[in-house]
Amino acid sequence: MVPFVPTSLLEQLLGQVTIEAVQKHIETVFSAAYFKMLVVGNFAPAEAVDAAQQVSQMLNFQSLPAHSHVPSRMVNIEPGHYIYRHMGEDPNMLNNAVVATFYCGMVTNPKDRTTMALLVQIAKDQFFDQLRTKEQLGYNVGASTNSFGSGKLTLDMRVQGESNPTYLLQRIDSFIHGFRQTLVEFDTVKFGALVESIVGKANEQLTSVDAEANRMWTPIYKGTYNFARLADEVESLQKVRLDDVLDMWDRYINPETAVAYTRVDSQLWAAKASYPSATDMTTWPESILALAGCLESETHMPVDLSDLSHFINTAVTQTSADALGSLAHQYPMANSTQVLDETASGWSKIKNALDMAMNPHNQHTLQDSETNFAYIGMYQTVEGKWVITDVEKFKATQALHGLAVPVIKLIPNTTAFNDHTIV
């Protein structure tokens, strides 16, 4: 989870930087250091050692004390649904953006990695087609997988557009609600072809030393030193079945079935957007907030959330068409005497938002967390989601993943220099 860095904080820190401080930093930055160096190419071991010695001599640094070299460890987020919000500071910025991050299997498990890769391949085109092509929510729409260190894999679904972030996330939820059936009905022949395509790409010969180095740096950076990682994944790919993909979906992503459901919604709000207050989020469901945001965007008038909630409660007995007609008369379009109809700008978004408010999808049943995040200033929405108000405080309450265990034995070279050992 990487938070947004406020521009105001960067400006504040830059204002404290002096020329003298920069010069001092240049003089002391390599006074003590720890470094990893990869030598790739047609080199004998002695030549690689010689190259490392030359780098050490040029930098002329002392060995960094062990207590100062702290390996990175990933935060192991406690199961639950979390929201991180940030308001943009540029008044000319019109776009909002969201990323829904689902924490899935472990990056150290080849089956989890390959199953996630197949899941993303199946989901990303349909996700783009639904939210970008059909709903036209923005130009930056996509689904991908990511991982950090020895932690968990993530499925990231992102949308950037002018609609309010609550509505964008509601549309992601709508996609998730219907995607399981897509997996159930997915053609097995097409699935086999997809596996062969990924295997073929993985087996492609590297065309440059740079590409070879980049591939080798991944296991070094992660601390596994598993240089057979790609071969392990190819072997795992050939064993993965469509049922495994469906199982991963149900175990980690499907809010109706996931036992240890872990999700973080990152929201970037445009400066001019109608930003829900903490009171709004603890009083009204997200479907009401999403609909209100769409209405305010099209009518350019404030929407009373209490009145809108009352309208939804009375409209549930109506058909969708009748409810939309009633809403159109109650909230006329901006700069127009004409009521909302199918030709009006934003009609489809308001229709979708109204449908979601009248027929909310089943949410994950959030159990009471072992950690009461209210002690660090966080609060819960009506649906039981925790809103992160201070990222650093939140991270401090979470456990950490262990360090990666090398899959091969690292054998120190007998040649040592400047208190450093060649491996």
Side-chain angles (χ1 to χ4, degrees), residues 101 149 325 330 407:
T101 299
Q330 186 165 335
V407 300

Side-chain angles (χ1 to χ4, degrees), residues 36-56:
K36 293 182 180 180
M37 179 175 172
L38 174 65
V39 181
V40 180
N42 189 21
F43 296 97
E47 293 175 313
V49 171
D50 183 62
Q53 289 176 326
Q54 291 183 42
V55 171
S56 176

